[in-house]
Amino acid sequence: MKMLFFSAKPYDRQFFHQANEKHGFELEFLETHLGPHIVNAVDDGTPVVCTFVNDKLTEEVIGVLAAKGVKVLALRCAGFNNVQLDAARKHGIRVCRVPAYSPEAVAEHAVAMLLTLVRKTHKAYNRVREQNFALNGLLGFNLHGKTVGAVGTGKIGKAFCRIMAGFGCRVIASDPFPDAELQAAGVEYLPLEELMAAADIISLHCPLAPENKYLINRETLRKMKRGVTIINTSRGGLLHTADVIDSLKSGHIAYLGIDVYEQEEKLFFKDLSGSIIEDDTIQRLMSFPNVLVTGHQAFFTEEALRQIAEVTLRSVGRLMNGEAVDEEVILV
Ligand code: NAI
């Protein structure tokens, strides 16, 4: 049974081929993003299409896929804000995802970004390569004793809270569904506004939805402490980037770490080292010494890629055989 991959990278081939040894699908990999420009290239009778975070599954694209006979759309990621689920439902396409491949991978990356920024190890790395061992400009601060706010305490936010508690931080959180285990471990749930006012460090771990688009904007930034550190490993659209840049310029935000960016589909997962980048906003962000940008790599560990491939192939097999699939895995 054929399974057509979009946005495929060498590591996707490697891990999916390995996992496929016990599933036996016919795997075909395309490097291009899926979108209206390419959807007509899908062969008639392709039963399964597998996509990633920046593929555009609009109503139009889903309509064409349905007309070509696609039965299952397998998202090899957790987030699904790039998919028009209503359109899939209308056309009878089943949609599955990988809800939890390694929450620790993302949580640990958020912490890596935080430590890099507040201890300036990105600067120290470059400096000692130039035989400059001076410490001027490398002054950091302790995480121990700081108040860390997690917005969203699902799988990733929970892993993040546990790590930060281990650092000796006061951990506060905001989530419409508080986690009893975290509460028992001393995490205090607060309304978002109170979290924003109290936290020295804010890390975003909620999904992007129309209700929380630009959660971090001029107004909410005003409620935060001067000198706040913000980490976003969730989705770029949670930040109003222009407002964040203004806030960095005024010094209100002391440090910003982003693994996601609203316009990332034109940039991330590509080697653009020989190109002129036209996006002035990301260039401005990358020019700040107190901003760390990574290209959506928080999930990128061996453990996570193994799990993504295994769960995706298992779910597709079950859906195509009409077998039951976990509620969390199935979106439509
Ligand atoms: P999850 O579904 O386990 O948890 C999300 C939590 O956010 C839930 O507890 C939910 O109640 C809460 N939430 C929803 N709206 C909220 C709001 N407005 N304010 C506060 N809390 C809210 O999801 P999981 O697995 O923890 O992933 C979180 C997000 O991380 C994903 O939606 C995705 O955008 C992002 N992600 C990023 C990756 C990367 O490589 N950078 C990889 C995987 C996920």
Side-chain angles (χ1 to χ4, degrees):
M1 188 190 304
K2 184 164 148 185
M3 193 165 165
L4 179 63
F5 287 69
F6 284 90
S7 307
K9 299 290 177 197
Y11 45 83
D12 292 313
R13 290 170 196 257
Q14 180 194 335
F15 283 90
F16 272 92
H17 275 307
Q18 269 168 22
N20 195 39
E21 282 172 14
K22 60 172 187 268
H23 292 276
F25 288 101
E26 181 196 333
L27 308 182
E28 189 180 325
F29 296 92
L30 297 180
E31 275 180 39
T32 177
H33 284 159
L34 177 54
H37 65 293
I38 191 78
V39 66
N40 281 306
V42 175
D43 287 338
D44 284 342
T46 302
V48 185
V49 163
C50 182
T51 60
F52 195 51
V53 291
N54 291 325
D55 291 306
K56 293 254 176 288
L57 279 310
T58 58
E59 183 156 13
E60 177 194 353
V61 169
I62 288 175
V64 177
L65 291 178
K68 286 178 174 286
V70 172
K71 302 278 179 273
V72 172
L73 180 56
L75 315 179
R76 54 181 191 283
C77 53
F80 49 89
N81 53 292
N82 56 328
V83 187
Q84 287 277 326
L85 294 179
D86 285 351
R89 203 170 285 119
K90 186 172 110 192
H91 290 286
I93 295 186
R94 306 298 306 271
V95 184
C96 61
R97 63 169 181 150
V98 188
Y101 31 93
S102 176
E104 288 76 18
V106 182
E108 287 173 17
H109 189 78
V111 178
M113 296 192 96
L114 175 59
L115 278 170
T116 303
L117 284 164
V118 306
R119 299 309 298 269
K120 303 188 170 72
T121 47
H122 55 314
K123 290 172 152 295
Y125 175 78
N126 287 325
R127 221 181 246 203
V128 295
R129 285 164 70 91
E130 299 280 322
Q131 302 173 33
N132 176 356
F133 301 101
L135 296 182
N136 300 333
L138 296 183
L139 189 67
F141 65 79
N142 289 6
L143 290 177
H144 187 270
K146 294 293 180 299
T147 299
V148 178
V151 181
T153 54
K155 292 170 284 295
I156 296 170
K158 187 170 179 177
F160 176 81
C161 287
R162 285 182 167 149
I163 300 171
M164 296 322 297
F167 271 84
C169 298
R170 173 189 171 218
V171 183
I172 57 177
S174 179
D175 192 309
F177 303 98
D179 181 279
E181 276 177 18
L182 286 181
Q183 281 176 314
V187 173
E188 190 187 342
Y189 279 85
L190 296 172
L192 186 60
E193 287 207 355
E194 286 179 35
L195 177 147
M196 285 180 170
D200 301 299
I201 295 149
I202 296 176
S203 192
L204 303 181
H205 299 291
C206 57
L208 174 64
E211 313 81 72
N212 66 7
K213 186 157 190 211
Y214 302 142
L215 185 82
I216 307 287
N217 59 48
R218 190 172 301 276
E219 292 306 313
T220 53
L221 281 162
R222 239 182 244 134
K223 298 186 174 112
M224 295 178 200
K225 286 185 183 175
R226 188 172 174 82
V228 67
T229 294
I230 298 175
I231 306 290
N232 185 12
T233 54
S234 267
R235 284 294 178 264
L238 292 171
L239 255 59
H240 189 288
T241 314
D243 290 356
V244 165
I245 288 175
D246 285 345
S247 200
L248 281 159
K249 280 159 88 175
S250 72
H252 192 74
I253 297 177
Y255 299 100
L256 173 72
I258 54 170
D259 185 52
V260 285
Y261 171 61
E262 198 178 6
Q263 312 297 337
E264 69 178 49
E265 71 272 10
K266 298 191 196 101
L267 305 165
F268 289 4
F269 310 115
K270 295 178 189 154
D271 178 359
L272 301 176
S273 50
S275 313
I276 305 294
I277 291 182
E278 287 182 20
D279 183 333
D280 293 340
T281 309
I282 192 85
Q283 292 289 38
R284 182 67 181 105
L285 276 176
M286 292 190 300
S287 74
F288 289 101
N290 50 347
V291 174
L292 180 64
V293 180
T294 53
H296 211 132
Q297 76 172 79
F299 73 100
F300 199 54
T301 64
E302 287 186 23
E303 292 82 352
L305 291 195
R306 218 175 289 126
Q307 178 76 355
I308 287 171
E310 179 48 42
V311 172
T312 303
L313 295 182
R314 195 173 56 217
S315 306
V316 169
R318 287 186 181 161
L319 282 174
M320 292 305 287
N321 290 332
E323 294 166 16
V325 182
D326 261 3
E327 231 175 70
E328 275 221 292
V329 164
I330 204 77
L331 293 169
V332 172

